[in-house]
């Protein structure tokens, strides 16, 4: 199984580029600011959240951006039979990637994690390998998102 670092450089995102897909590696999530927001009341004690809360929130936001990027990438595959969708759980706020069957009709909808490998097995070699790497990346991002939200929760609890 392939290991992924906490940040995915553009060169590694290129490895996720599907065969025959348009170049979307250069597209980045618009929610990530180019320059971090400055705290207007930084030294008065009345400013925004402490640094650890801001850093934890930034980590969660980065992971959410990476999830959106991966979802967008899977939608660009020509003749796709399925793609990743970003799903938000209302109760926890968790964002996670789930596979969906492309198209409409009785076969459209979410594909359970356990059944996804049967779908991969029917694909041609290079495309199957790409989907398997993408699937591992989705699982890793989902795991990191849970960890990052938990770290944010703890940082907020320490702050209050």
């Amino acid at each position: 199984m392939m290991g992924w670092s906490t940040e995915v450089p553009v060169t590694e995102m290129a490895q996720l580029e599907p065969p025959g897909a348009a170049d979307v590696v250069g597209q980045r999530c618009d929610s990530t600011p180019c320059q971090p927001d400055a705290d207007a009341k930084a030294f008065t004690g009345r400013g925004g959240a402490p640094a650890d809360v801001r850093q934890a929130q930034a980590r969660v936001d980065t992971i959410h951006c990476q999830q959106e990027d991966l979802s967008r990438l899977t939608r660009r595959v020509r003749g796709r039979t399925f793609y990743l969708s970003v799903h938000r759980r209302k109760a926890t706020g968790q964002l996670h990637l789930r596979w969906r069957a492309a198209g409409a009709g009785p076969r459209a909808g979410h594909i359970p994690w356990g059944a996804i490998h049967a779908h991969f097995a029917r694909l041609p070699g290079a495309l199957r390998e790409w989907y398997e790497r993408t699937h591992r990346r989705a699982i890793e991002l989902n795991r990191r998102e849970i960890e990052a939200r938990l770290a944010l929760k703890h940082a907020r609890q320490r702050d209050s």
Side-chain angles (χ1 to χ4, degrees), residues 18-22 73-83 99-103 119-120 122-124 127-128 130-131:
L73 187 66
T74 61
R75 291 171 191 265
R76 302 287 302 235
V77 177
R78 289 183 209 176
R80 69 178 183 267
T81 53
F82 40 88
Y83 62 93
W99 287 104
R100 287 187 62 91
H119 292 278
F120 291 153
R122 294 186 294 230
L123 297 172
L127 190 58
R128 181 181 59 245
W130 180 83
Y131 270 113

Side-chain angles (χ1 to χ4, degrees), residues 37 106 149 154:
D37 293 331
R149 273 186 314 99
H154 290 308

Side-chain angles (χ1 to χ4, degrees), residues 15 35 53 63 68 75 77 132:
Q15 292 176 352
Q35 182 175 358
V53 174
I63 293 168
E68 293 285 344
R75 291 171 191 265
V77 177
E132 288 171 349

Side-chain angles (χ1 to χ4, degrees), residues 37-97:
D37 293 331
D39 201 353
K41 307 232 185 238
F43 300 108
T44 63
R46 298 181 311 225
D52 59 339
V53 174
R54 285 193 310 270
Q55 289 170 353
Q57 183 64 58
R59 184 169 178 238
V60 169
D61 293 343
T62 299
I63 293 168
H64 287 173
C65 183
Q66 291 172 350
Q67 288 175 315
E68 293 285 344
D69 288 346
L70 191 58
S71 173
R72 226 181 344 269
L73 187 66
T74 61
R75 291 171 191 265
R76 302 287 302 235
V77 177
R78 289 183 209 176
R80 69 178 183 267
T81 53
F82 40 88
Y83 62 93
L84 284 169
S85 68
V86 178
H87 179 75
R88 179 179 296 272
R89 291 193 171 128
K90 289 183 182 181
T92 62
Q94 176 187 6
L95 244 63
H96 66 278
L97 293 163

